[in-house]
Amino acid sequence: DQQVKQNSPSLSVQEGRISILNCDYTNSMFDYFLWYKKYPAEGPTFLISISSIKDKNEDGRFTVFLNKSAKHLSLHIVPSQPGDSAVYFCAACEIGNEKLTFGTGTRLTIIP
Amino acid sequence: DTGVSQDPRHKITKRGQNVTFRCDPISEHNRLYWYRQTLGQGPEFLTYFQNEAQLEKSRLLSDRFSAERPKGSFSTLEIQRTEQGDSAMYLCASSLEWANYGYTFGSGTRLTVV
């Protein structure tokens, strides 16, 4: 039962353009969402998060959008840079619950 | 502060052997988590400690798995009688508060059972 889904295993984007990574969830109890970035041979690194009381959160080049009615969130990276090439994981939890449920990841490749 | 450290980075073991992994969290973090990641999947929650107390365990953590955090500092994850299905990356993470600021993950221990 995959409660957090990232349906695109991979994405290629030209340097300087916008990268949009998508994530869907099925558990309506989830009310906090996070994005992690992972380079090979390293652990995931926290990028940005959003609470269900918001529909947008921005941090520099990264913006996360949340559509609660559609149970969908997306991560926008603009402009995309070569160092953004990595695997991106979407994760979700219930506020106050220590357990994160991760998606399967999307491999982003930025083409110079 | 060097972040979350995991040892060893790689472990190859024969089926049926016992293995133990160690995690040293960031020193002021009182929460410590173990996750497992298999190929093509995202990390899956195994267990969580607040200080020395193990507060939650996943059903993925069979009787062959045991985790400890004896003094609320480092933690160990032991797998007894390893099986080929145990081959995975074992990730440790720590945090000062619950996950809203994101955990800090270590680089993981890659276990291969042959």
Side-chain angles (χ1 to χ4, degrees):
Chain A
D1 175 24
Q2 194 73 29
Q3 298 185 68
V4 178
K5 301 177 185 179
Q6 293 177 257
N7 291 319
S8 298
S10 63
L11 176 68
S12 294
V13 174
Q14 207 79 31
E15 182 179 358
R17 307 292 287 267
I18 184 171
S19 296
I20 300 175
L21 297 98
N22 294 302
C23 177
D24 297 291
Y25 62 97
T26 57
N27 188 340
S28 56
M29 298 298 291
F30 289 149
D31 50 13
Y32 203 83
F33 305 89
L34 307 93
W35 283 94
Y36 282 82
K37 172 181 179 179
K38 186 180 183 303
Y39 293 119
E42 295 183 12
T45 302
F46 171 72
L47 266 181
I48 191 169
S49 62
I50 187 166
S51 163
S52 61
I53 62 173
K54 295 186 175 182
D55 54 19
K56 175 183 174 181
N57 189 25
E58 196 171 349
D59 183 2
R61 295 186 299 113
F62 302 91
T63 303
V64 56
F65 295 91
L66 175 62
N67 182 334
K68 289 185 294 293
S69 60
K71 294 191 177 68
H72 176 85
L73 61 156
S74 60
L75 175 68
H76 293 210
I77 306 172
V78 56
S80 299
Q81 300 174 353
D84 296 330
S85 294
V87 177
Y88 289 78
F89 290 99
C90 171
C93 66
E94 299 173 44
I95 289 178
N97 188 318
E98 306 289 336
K99 181 178 77 173
L100 293 182
T101 300
F102 283 83
T104 52
T106 296
R107 180 176 301 279
L108 175 65
T109 302
I110 305 302
I111 304 164
Chain B
D1 182 2
T2 56
V4 178
S5 299
Q6 291 190 245
D7 183 70
R9 291 294 305 272
H10 304 274
K11 178 70 177 179
I12 300 174
T13 191
K14 291 184 177 179
R15 190 175 50 188
Q17 297 294 304
N18 298 344
V19 294
T20 300
F21 311 140
R22 177 180 171 120
C23 171
D24 287 274
I26 292 172
S27 56
E28 64 266 28
H29 285 184
N30 60 353
R31 288 160 162 80
L32 186 147
Y33 314 86
W34 285 98
Y35 280 74
R36 180 175 72 183
Q37 185 178 12
T38 53
L39 199 61
Q41 300 297 314
E44 295 174 292
F45 173 81
L46 290 179
T47 190
Y48 145 64
F49 291 85
Q50 186 169 330
N51 299 311
E52 65 273 13
Q54 188 173 17
L55 295 187
E56 188 171 351
K57 291 169 59 173
S58 164
R59 65 180 186 278
L60 293 175
L61 217 64
S62 74
D63 292 345
R64 297 184 298 106
F65 288 71
S66 63
E68 294 183 345
R69 194 181 182 198
K71 295 182 180 178
S73 56
F74 73 93
S75 176
T76 58
L77 178 67
E78 181 184 15
I79 309 174
Q80 296 182 327
R81 305 180 303 282
T82 51
E83 301 173 356
Q84 286 189 321
D86 297 332
S87 295
M89 175 73 81
Y90 289 84
L91 293 162
C92 176
S94 69
S95 72
L96 185 56
E97 296 185 17
W98 79 276
N100 62 335
Y101 297 112
Y103 305 151
T104 301
F105 277 91
S107 297
T109 294
R110 179 166 295 286
L111 173 66
T112 303
V113 181
V114 297

